[in-house]
Amino acid sequence: METQSEESRELSQEKRGCLDCCIKCLGGVPYASLVATILCFSGVALFCGCGHVALTGTLTILETHFSKITADHAMLTDIIQLMQYVIYGIASFFFLYGIILLAEGFYTTSAVKELHSEFKTTICGRCISAMFVFLTYILGVAWLGVFGFSAVPVFLFYNMWSTCAAMRAPVTSLPSSLPSNESICVDMRQYGIIPWNATPGVACGSTLLEICNSSEFYLSYHLYIVACAGAGATVIALLIYMMATTYNFALLKFKSREDCCTKF
């Protein structure tokens, strides 16, 4: 009986030790950084993937209906290709940066909560945390600009879509003073996308309806919306990163002063 009770005590102590270890490990998880990393990866993936495909579809629409001479939109083609290469770089950079920030969040959370004796606040660690705070702030401001820029093609495609929706409306419901469908046009030259000497540069009537009914237009329009939403999600992720890194840096700085006071 005594041996059975001792064995049960040992088992209960082992279970309690495992439970304490799990609670200790879960306490060191930087949940804010983890949520921000997932949101950042998702937002960057949506922005880069959808933006890349949408740019290709936009170039196809322009070449087919608005600028049939290659020389007229040669610069636009180079710009779109450059933007697609930039998208590759953005995806690679934020994949690495998100992992680094998540690792930094694990380190600072463990150092703040003193979960492991080997994790101590040092001058080098505080400088690295301050660098991440500053860099994340700069990236957040830059992504605000990217978010605003990604809304521009959504606005342009929405104008085309609303024009086509007005053309599809029943004729009986429209006032007689309105022009006919053939006189309703969309001029891409006024947006500065293609030069003024581009041929034809304008899509009217049935040609405009054909563009709106094409799969390239439908796909590009919705992909631009998703890319804009992805950019917004990335901005939110960077804001969460900024709050988490700033909070951890402030606590690390406070603990360093506390350690200096306790030494004397």
Side-chain angles (χ1 to χ4, degrees):
M1 295 293 292
E2 293 180 358
T3 56
Q4 290 180 354
S5 61
E6 289 178 358
E7 289 178 357
S8 61
R9 288 176 185 175
E10 290 178 357
L11 288 174
S12 62
Q13 289 178 357
E14 289 180 359
K15 291 181 180 178
R16 189 177 301 173
C18 292
L19 181 62
D20 293 339
C21 182
C22 291
I23 294 174
K24 186 177 181 181
C25 291
L26 290 176
V29 175
Y31 293 102
S33 297
L34 185 62
V35 171
T37 301
I38 296 173
L39 191 61
C40 182
F41 284 174
S42 303
V44 172
L46 288 176
F47 174 78
C48 294
C50 296
H52 186 278
V53 179
L55 286 172
T56 304
T58 302
L59 186 59
T60 302
I61 293 173
L62 292 175
E63 289 177 344
T64 306
H65 300 283
F66 291 99
S67 181
K68 297 182 179 180
I69 300 176
T70 307
D72 292 339
H73 59 271
M75 182 179 293
L76 178 64
T77 303
D78 294 337
I79 292 174
I80 288 178
Q81 290 178 352
L82 178 62
M83 291 175 67
Q84 289 176 335
Y85 285 121
V86 170
I87 284 174
Y88 297 146
I90 290 174
S92 303
F93 172 78
F94 271 91
F95 177 75
L96 294 175
Y97 190 69
I99 293 176
I100 292 172
L101 280 182
L102 183 61
E104 194 266 346
F106 272 102
Y107 168 76
T108 52
T109 302
S110 299
V112 167
K113 295 184 178 181
E114 295 181 347
L115 297 176
H116 305 284
S117 59
E118 63 269 15
F119 286 172
K120 296 295 184 179
T121 58
T122 60
I123 297 177
C124 181
R126 292 193 298 272
C127 290
I128 293 174
S129 297
M131 181 191 69
F132 281 126
V133 172
F134 177 75
L135 185 57
T136 306
Y137 176 81
I138 297 298
L139 290 174
V141 174
W143 268 96
L144 281 175
V146 172
F147 176 65
F149 179 75
S150 63
V152 174
V154 176
F155 172 73
L156 298 180
F157 273 78
Y158 174 76
N159 282 343
M160 291 185 63
W161 176 83
S162 59
T163 304
C164 293
M167 293 173 64
R168 295 192 193 99
V171 180
T172 55
S173 65
L174 295 175
S176 58
S177 59
L178 289 179
S180 61
N181 286 347
E182 292 300 325
S183 60
I184 298 177
C185 303
V186 171
D187 191 351
M188 280 295 169
R189 296 173 298 183
Q190 66 180 346
Y191 298 113
I193 299 175
I194 54 178
W196 282 103
N197 59 352
T199 305
V202 182
C204 302
S206 58
T207 304
L208 183 57
L209 285 175
E210 181 184 350
I211 295 173
C212 293
N213 292 329
S214 63
S215 59
E216 290 85 3
F217 178 85
Y218 182 83
L219 182 62
S220 299
Y221 179 36
H222 289 84
L223 286 178
Y224 276 127
I225 294 175
V226 176
C228 184
T234 306
V235 171
I236 296 174
L238 289 173
L239 288 175
I240 298 174
Y241 272 136
M242 277 191 284
M243 290 186 290
T245 53
T246 305
Y247 174 78
N248 287 332
F249 173 72
L251 284 182
L252 287 176
K253 194 172 182 181
F254 177 77
K255 286 186 67 63
S256 66
R257 291 180 180 178
E258 215 175 40
D259 293 338
C260 290
C261 293
T262 54
K263 287 179 180 179
F264 296 100

